[in-house]
Amino acid sequence: KNVLNHILIFLTLCSYLVLCSIKSEEVLKSNFIDSVAGLLFFLLFYLFVYGKLNWLGENRMLLFLGKISYPWYLIHQNIGYIILYYFFIYKNNESGLYVIIPIIITIVMAYLINLYIEKPSYLYLKRKLLKTH
């Protein structure tokens, strides 16, 4: 059964590469980038499914980013653009260093949202849902 899984994965990967290769020649560079990105995703998913990435769960920084990823996803664009707009328009500065400031601010905000909104909400809902009558 394990050999069959590997064969199916390989055939799926081949199908993906064929689909990438039949795009028009005008986007040949894009085809290459799509193919490489797809190969990387296939490889990561394959390693994940077969338990070869378990060591990632031991990395404290990745665990932290995983915990704040959803609130960070929700706020990064709006808050980040507001901060960037302030620096570019009001400070007349287009330095690349100003990109770091919105990243840090949104990470801190996502952490606070996780700490003071997500966790208490989760615990409250867990208690309510698991409450026996």
Side-chain angles (χ1 to χ4, degrees):
K1 182 177 179 177
N2 202 17
V3 173
L4 179 61
N5 288 345
H6 294 294
I7 292 171
L8 289 172
I9 291 169
F10 178 74
L11 290 175
T12 304
L13 179 59
C14 290
S15 300
Y16 170 78
L17 292 174
V18 167
L19 288 173
C20 282
S21 69
I22 61 174
K23 290 182 179 177
S24 77
E25 290 185 20
E26 295 174 8
V27 289
L28 190 57
K29 183 177 179 181
S30 176
N31 287 349
F32 177 75
I33 293 170
D34 289 350
S35 298
V36 170
L39 284 171
L40 290 175
F41 280 116
F42 268 94
L43 177 63
L44 284 173
F45 189 71
Y46 179 83
L47 293 172
F48 173 75
V49 166
Y50 287 99
K52 304 299 182 191
L53 297 177
N54 292 338
W55 57 271
L56 289 174
E58 299 167 4
N59 185 310
R60 293 178 64 137
M61 179 58 75
L62 291 177
L63 289 172
F64 170 75
L65 290 174
K67 287 179 183 177
I68 68 161
S69 64
Y70 188 65
W72 194 20
Y73 162 74
L74 292 175
I75 66 170
H76 82 279
Q77 184 175 10
N78 291 327
I79 303 296
Y81 281 149
I82 289 169
I83 297 167
L84 286 174
Y85 180 80
Y86 171 78
F87 283 128
F88 291 159
I89 301 301
Y90 294 111
K91 296 292 185 186
N92 275 337
N93 193 323
E94 296 185 16
S95 168
L97 292 175
Y98 282 119
V99 172
I100 294 171
I101 294 169
I103 291 172
I104 292 170
I105 290 172
T106 55
I107 286 175
V108 169
M109 290 176 72
Y111 170 72
L112 294 172
I113 290 169
N114 174 263
L115 185 65
Y116 293 111
I117 296 173
E118 274 190 312
K119 283 184 182 179
S121 300
Y122 167 77
L123 294 174
Y124 173 79
L125 289 172
K126 184 178 176 183
R127 275 195 312 270
K128 289 294 184 185
L129 293 173
L130 294 178
K131 188 177 184 180
T132 56
H133 294 273

